[in-house]
Amino acid sequence: MRGELFHPDRGDISLDKVLHALSDPIRRDIARTMHLEGPRVCGQLSYPIAKSTLSHHLRVLREAGLMQTEIRGTTRVITLRREDIDARFPKLLDAVQVTAPAPEEARVAG
Amino acid sequence: MRGELFHPDRGDISLDKVLHALSDPIRRDIARTMHLEGPRVCGQLSYPIAKSTLSHHLRVLREAGLMQTEIRGTTRVITLRREDIDARFPKLLDAVQVTAPAPEEARVAG
């Protein structure tokens, strides 16, 4: 437990839940944004979806162990738990295109 | 399409569906078995689950593009589409412990 919200300990992070969390393109995009831009205030996230849907996505990411949520007053700051995921499942975040570009993007860039 | 059953073409294989398919431990085990032992006859698979549940898992793997199913008379032979997945999502099958052992297993072996 970290703060008031449930966060699994590193050793309890399950591949089933991580893969389920990453099977949604918006959740992968949130993870990629945290990777590229560092910790984010939840209110800064902008997707064309209902606020309740966004909250659901954030909860799935947090409960899977992909994301840490810190409550600061009235805001919530979210951070990718990259070290924990890398320790448990090496190269996974690269392979699912969170910490590495998609092969298509790599080709365009090259 | 290959044969009578739906199989996505390589270019249509979606990361969303692949990760969803791999988020289940039995589906990962089926994929790992095909990797380690080559093409399998469906009837050789043995899991403590209902036959209908196993059929569901096999359909999810096939429709995601992870597995090719070939109908031979009254049997079905299933094969991991490793080249297709490796081409679309390099290193993913290793990262999800289908084509590489889990870190824990590696430590035990070492």
Side-chain angles (χ1 to χ4, degrees):
Chain A
M1 298 289 290
R2 306 177 184 204
E4 300 172 14
L5 299 168
F6 170 74
H7 293 84
D9 291 333
R10 178 185 289 190
D12 293 330
I13 295 175
S14 119
L15 185 54
D16 295 7
K17 289 185 180 174
V18 167
L19 293 179
H20 169 68
L22 293 171
S23 71
D24 181 275
I26 288 183
R27 292 197 290 262
R28 282 200 305 280
D29 195 75
I30 294 170
R32 195 177 297 120
T33 298
M34 292 187 290
H35 164 64
L36 292 173
E37 304 182 14
R40 303 287 290 174
V41 172
C42 285
Q44 293 175 339
L45 297 173
S46 177
Y47 294 98
I49 55 176
K51 192 173 175 182
S52 60
T53 306
L54 179 59
S55 294
H56 167 75
H57 286 320
L58 294 171
R59 187 171 67 248
V60 171
L61 286 166
R62 174 172 51 77
E63 293 182 351
L66 282 156
M67 188 183 88
Q68 182 172 350
T69 303
E70 189 184 344
I71 299 175
R72 295 186 190 169
T74 58
T75 63
R76 292 181 174 207
V77 178
I78 56 175
T79 309
L80 183 67
R81 293 178 63 179
R82 181 168 185 180
E83 283 189 18
D84 290 329
I85 299 297
D86 283 352
R88 290 282 290 155
F89 311 113
K91 300 180 185 174
L92 178 62
L93 290 175
D94 271 9
V96 299
Q97 304 167 2
V98 163
T99 50
E104 290 81 359
E105 294 168 20
R107 278 200 294 274
V108 171
Chain B
M1 300 287 292
R2 306 176 185 208
E4 300 171 15
L5 300 168
F6 170 73
H7 294 84
D9 290 333
R10 178 186 288 188
D12 293 330
I13 295 174
S14 118
L15 186 54
D16 296 6
K17 288 186 180 173
V18 166
L19 292 178
H20 168 70
L22 293 171
S23 71
D24 181 275
I26 288 184
R27 291 196 291 261
R28 283 200 304 281
D29 195 75
I30 294 170
R32 196 178 297 120
T33 299
M34 291 187 291
H35 164 66
L36 292 172
E37 304 183 12
R40 303 289 291 173
V41 172
C42 285
Q44 292 175 339
L45 297 173
S46 176
Y47 294 98
I49 56 177
K51 192 174 176 182
S52 61
T53 305
L54 179 59
S55 294
H56 167 75
H57 286 321
L58 294 172
R59 188 172 64 249
V60 171
L61 287 166
R62 173 172 51 78
E63 292 182 349
L66 281 156
M67 187 183 87
Q68 182 173 350
T69 304
E70 187 184 345
I71 300 175
R72 295 185 189 170
T74 58
T75 64
R76 293 180 174 209
V77 178
I78 56 174
T79 310
L80 183 66
R81 293 178 62 179
R82 180 169 186 180
E83 283 190 18
D84 289 329
I85 298 297
D86 283 351
R88 291 282 290 155
F89 312 114
K91 299 179 184 171
L92 178 62
L93 290 175
D94 271 10
V96 299
Q97 305 168 2
V98 163
T99 51
E104 289 80 359
E105 294 169 17
R107 278 200 295 273
V108 171

